[in-house]
Amino acid sequence: MCIRDRHGKGTLKGIDKSISEGEWKNNKLDGYGTEQMEEGDKYEGNFKDGMRHGRGKYKWKNGAIYEGNFAGGRPNGDGKMIYPNRKRYEGQWRAGKAHGNGKMIHPDGSIYEGEFEQNLKSGLGKFTWTNGQQYKGDWKNNMPNGKGMLITPNQKSILATWTKGILD
């Protein structure tokens, strides 16, 4: 059996009902293209050696959407994600996870701006509740941890140390 080399523009329909379309080089998507996965997810953007790489947009069947940079097939670099629950993240990504500086807007309107590590608030950051109360300071594993300042809605400030989200 001889399989013809794919090179140039073309479409590949997989036996799993997936469809890959775009620029091909050495039997791999390379350049601009689209992927429609069997389960309903869709990617449109740049490829390198068959992997999502460069600018692109990925839409999951569950309604989540990521738009931004990809490397090695995963979000990497600057990008924004809208989750099915309407939570939004905009900022830096590494290996498919929020990592670096970013901004998370929760469905209730509360906002975290600061550092992330492996999808968790970690490092310096500011969380603002919808009533105007704020926490500015150190975070670890999604919780205030270390030195920080709590500012109440009436602008009263409390400088304190926190451990795993609890005021010492």
Side-chain angles (χ1 to χ4, degrees):
M1 181 168 135
C2 179
I3 298 176
R4 196 183 80 154
D5 285 345
R6 287 177 198 82
H7 197 81
K9 286 187 179 246
T11 301
L12 174 65
K13 295 181 180 182
I15 57 173
D16 63 356
K17 298 190 171 108
S18 64
I19 301 171
S20 300
E21 190 171 9
E23 297 287 330
W24 294 82
K25 182 178 175 184
N26 298 322
N27 285 325
K28 297 176 183 176
L29 281 170
D30 199 286
Y32 187 80
T34 61
E35 283 182 315
Q36 177 76 47
M37 280 54 88
E38 176 185 15
E39 67 275 1
D41 294 356
K42 184 176 182 177
Y43 172 79
E44 182 175 350
N46 291 301
F47 290 85
K48 184 176 180 181
D49 292 326
M51 305 274 297
R52 294 175 208 110
H53 191 90
R55 296 292 296 172
K57 185 175 190 176
Y58 195 104
K59 294 180 180 181
W60 284 264
K61 181 181 177 181
N62 68 7
I65 300 170
Y66 171 82
E67 190 168 0
N69 289 311
F70 286 81
R74 299 188 286 186
N76 202 74
D78 292 329
K80 58 185 170 183
M81 173 81 114
I82 300 172
Y83 296 87
N85 67 358
R86 306 319 296 160
K87 178 171 66 172
R88 297 184 317 239
Y89 172 78
E90 187 168 342
Q92 297 172 327
W93 295 80
R94 187 189 314 166
K97 297 185 179 198
H99 195 93
N101 288 311
K103 180 178 184 177
M104 179 77 72
I105 302 171
H106 297 271
D108 68 358
S110 58
I111 299 170
Y112 172 82
E113 294 179 81
E115 297 175 20
F116 287 81
E117 188 175 318
Q118 301 291 312
N119 278 345
L120 301 174
K121 299 173 192 90
S122 198
L124 290 175
K126 175 177 83 171
F127 190 93
T128 306
W129 286 265
T130 56
N131 68 359
Q133 181 167 296
Q134 293 182 347
Y135 169 78
K136 297 178 184 180
D138 296 325
W139 291 79
K140 186 173 182 180
N141 294 326
N142 265 354
M143 294 181 278
N145 196 74
K147 292 185 180 185
M149 183 176 291
L150 184 66
I151 303 167
T152 65
N154 63 4
Q155 300 304 304
K156 181 181 175 187
S157 298
I158 303 166
L159 183 59
T161 302
W162 302 74
T163 303
K164 295 183 180 178
I166 298 171
L167 184 62
D168 288 345

